[in-house]
Amino acid sequence: MSTGIDLAVSTVIFALRPDADGRLVLSIPLVRRTRAPQEGHWALPGGSADARESLAETAARKLAETTGLSAAYLEQLYCFGDPERSPSGRVVSVVYWALVRGEEAELVTDENVAWFAADELPRLAFDHNLIVDYALWRLRTKLEYAAIAHAFLGPTFTLAELRQVHEIVLQRELDPANFRRQIEASRAVVPTGEHVTGGRHRPPRLYRYDASVELVDNGPLTSAGVR
Amino acid sequence: MSTGIDLAVSTVIFALRPDADGRLVLSIPLVRRTRAPQEGHWALPGGSADARESLAETAARKLAETTGLSAAYLEQLYCFGDPERSPSGRVVSVVYWALVRGEEAELVTDENVAWFAADELPRLAFDHNLIVDYALWRLRTKLEYAAIAHAFLGPTFTLAELRQVHEIVLQRELDPANFRRQIEASRAVVPTGEHVTGGRHRPPRLYRYDASVELVDNGPLTSAGVR
DNA sequence: CCTGTAAAGGTCATTCTGACCTGAACGTCA
DNA sequence: TGACGTTCAGGTCAGAATGACCTTTACAGG
């Protein structure tokens, strides 16, 4: 029994990358379509669902195959199924969103992959502009109540680095003292005891993410590991 | 190009129904499966996706066909795609959750449909217990920050009725005075000017939902009306 | 007309939040 | 070598939000 519907999996990938002036910018890698429909347009990385994998596994694999990246955070965003969203027939896309670390982001070499500032996107293929807008909304909303900002950073980081992640994503400055108080109250990070030396000012503490603090709502908890 | 994956649409439907003692209970209608796989087990209402409809339209139609109900609130919950979730082959289910009014809930007559208390479900078909648990978590979480409780009620209601909805869903008592303050501050409801007469006590005001207060996150906003 | 109960509106202590201040600890430069 | 600029780390303080609780109002029923 076939329904005549193609099932695809795509991912909105976020990373913080330096722009021409060296300032970190919230960025998204896009893939140039090399065949119809919408040939030549930029689109989200993705592809057809695979019958042998879970949807999250497919998202992670496609993400790695097309961009060479691996995600520090991966969560299902939404399932898009408007009948008119693709001119070539009915396509239902299960869309994930992912966060990757800054160092990872520089490993992309494929000439058909390019990074764009999240708030300066061109006209994308299909309904992908709508999808990115929704993913951006989710990222910004979730950053305010869930400990996910560390996924942009390495295993250890200073509170100033973590605060900078929040400031770039939320597009507003945050009071350093109040940010410290809020983060410490959340118990999401723990000090390693080490400090960053060699800086021009008082050496800041290094922190790491406390994995014992479970994430709020990364989808339903299944018995198997990867969702 | 077929992926060998069946795409289904199911819905977790919530309503408040009186139990044997007349107390309102958060309840879910389930459908008894009349064919393999899992014949005889109770399952969520749903069916195969239709290539001509949006996913939300399919959810609303299946909801009406199998239970006779119409939803006052409908939102996509999650897309479930574990390879092992159905013994008969790969099925990906786009699951919605819906709220229906109490009066609506009494119109169900199909002998293969039965209501169950949300926290006393039997062993369901497939992974539907997991799905209902997740839907319950979403309903309870969302009730605390979004104005959706009115969807269980008629067009007008008293604050005591609205508070009772919150108390039943959240399974704890709420202070009437603080609840009033919180609801009034949210601007989600407006007094109609009318009062309920004939009661034993001081006549309460009637309120109606203020539709000008937009919902937070009922999925991405598309240009077309129904999602 | 008195009583019980819920509606409506209020107070008060506690907690949370944003704005701001002070001392500590560097590197840098005169 | 010592003053200076900057950031780190830890604090204060006022206003907003929250939970517990109190008072008055307004009805039905005995």
Side-chain angles (χ1 to χ4, degrees):
Chain A
M1 172 185 65
S2 172
T3 53
I5 300 180
D6 278 341
L7 187 64
V9 178
S10 299
T11 305
V12 182
I13 305 167
F14 294 106
L16 299 183
R17 298 180 69 249
D19 67 3
D21 302 332
R23 280 189 289 265
L24 288 177
V25 176
L26 184 63
S27 306
I28 297 173
L30 297 172
V31 182
R32 194 193 293 276
R33 288 188 59 84
T34 56
R35 58 183 178 187
Q38 307 262 21
E39 182 175 347
H41 281 75
W42 294 97
L44 294 171
S48 286
D50 186 300
R52 295 157 300 182
E53 295 171 319
S54 75
L55 297 169
E57 283 166 358
T58 302
R61 181 174 57 79
K62 292 280 178 191
L63 192 156
E65 283 177 6
T66 56
T67 67
L69 299 169
S70 81
Y73 182 78
L74 183 67
E75 178 186 325
Q76 195 181 107
L77 175 67
Y78 197 78
C79 184
F80 293 82
D82 191 275
E84 312 296 332
R85 60 187 294 272
S86 171
S88 63
R90 183 69 188 277
V91 179
V92 169
S93 286
V94 184
V95 178
Y96 282 73
W97 61 289
L99 308 183
V100 303
R101 307 196 329 201
E103 315 155 19
E104 281 271 340
E106 302 313 313
L107 303 178
V108 178
T109 54
D110 191 315
E111 63 175 6
N112 282 317
V113 176
W115 288 89
F116 293 84
D119 51 358
E120 293 175 12
L121 294 183
R123 167 89 174 79
L124 305 185
F126 312 112
D127 55 356
H128 289 193
N129 285 97
L130 172 74
I131 294 176
V132 171
D133 286 346
Y134 187 50
L136 258 173
W137 180 86
R138 271 276 272 277
L139 167 62
R140 290 183 171 135
T141 305
K142 191 147 193 172
L143 193 68
E144 305 217 56
Y145 69 89
I148 55 173
H150 64 90
F152 283 112
L153 304 170
T156 62
F157 45 84
T158 66
L159 284 189
E161 291 170 335
L162 194 67
R163 175 166 50 86
Q164 191 187 21
V165 171
H166 281 252
E167 288 180 339
I168 293 169
V169 173
L170 299 179
Q171 294 179 304
R172 60 190 163 92
E173 299 201 339
L174 300 172
D175 183 283
N178 294 339
F179 182 78
R180 168 184 303 277
R181 181 177 59 190
Q182 178 191 319
I183 294 295
E184 284 174 347
S186 77
R187 307 317 233 118
V189 300
V190 288
T192 64
E194 295 177 89
H195 292 255
V196 176
T197 56
R200 280 185 297 279
H201 312 294
R202 175 172 177 173
R205 293 182 190 152
L206 271 177
Y207 290 81
R208 60 176 171 76
Y209 173 61
D210 181 3
S212 69
V213 180
E214 76 259 46
L215 269 172
V216 268
D217 185 25
N218 179 9
L221 290 168
T222 59
S223 44
V226 180
R227 274 175 283 259
Chain B
M1 175 184 67
S2 171
T3 54
I5 300 180
D6 278 342
L7 188 64
V9 179
S10 298
T11 306
V12 182
I13 304 166
F14 293 106
L16 299 183
R17 298 181 70 249
D19 67 2
D21 302 332
R23 280 188 291 265
L24 288 178
V25 175
L26 183 63
S27 306
I28 298 174
L30 296 172
V31 181
R32 193 193 294 275
R33 288 188 60 82
T34 55
R35 59 185 177 184
Q38 308 263 23
E39 182 175 347
H41 281 74
W42 293 98
L44 294 171
S48 286
D50 187 301
R52 295 156 300 181
E53 296 171 319
S54 75
L55 297 169
E57 283 166 358
T58 302
R61 181 174 57 80
K62 291 280 177 188
L63 192 156
E65 284 177 5
T66 57
T67 67
L69 301 168
S70 82
Y73 182 77
L74 182 68
E75 178 186 324
Q76 194 182 107
L77 174 67
Y78 198 77
C79 184
F80 293 83
D82 191 276
E84 312 296 331
R85 60 187 294 271
S86 170
S88 62
R90 184 67 188 276
V91 179
V92 169
S93 287
V94 183
V95 178
Y96 282 74
W97 61 290
L99 308 183
V100 303
R101 307 197 328 203
E103 315 155 20
E104 280 271 341
E106 303 314 313
L107 302 178
V108 178
T109 53
D110 190 315
E111 63 175 8
N112 282 317
V113 176
W115 288 89
F116 294 84
D119 51 359
E120 293 173 11
L121 294 183
R123 167 90 176 78
L124 305 185
F126 312 112
D127 55 356
H128 289 193
N129 285 97
L130 172 74
I131 295 176
V132 171
D133 286 347
Y134 187 50
L136 258 173
W137 180 87
R138 272 275 273 277
L139 167 62
R140 290 184 171 134
T141 305
K142 192 147 193 172
L143 193 68
E144 305 217 54
Y145 68 89
I148 55 173
H150 64 90
F152 283 112
L153 304 169
T156 62
F157 45 85
T158 67
L159 284 189
E161 290 170 334
L162 194 67
R163 176 166 50 86
Q164 191 188 19
V165 171
H166 281 251
E167 288 179 337
I168 293 169
V169 173
L170 300 179
Q171 294 179 304
R172 60 189 163 93
E173 297 202 339
L174 300 172
D175 184 283
N178 293 340
F179 181 80
R180 167 184 304 277
R181 181 177 58 188
Q182 177 191 321
I183 294 294
E184 283 175 348
S186 77
R187 308 316 232 120
V189 300
V190 288
T192 62
E194 295 177 89
H195 293 254
V196 176
T197 55
R200 277 186 299 280
H201 312 293
R202 177 172 176 171
R205 292 182 192 152
L206 271 176
Y207 290 80
R208 59 177 171 78
Y209 173 61
D210 181 3
S212 71
V213 180
E214 77 259 45
L215 268 173
V216 267
D217 184 26
N218 179 9
L221 290 168
T222 58
S223 45
V226 180
R227 274 175 284 258

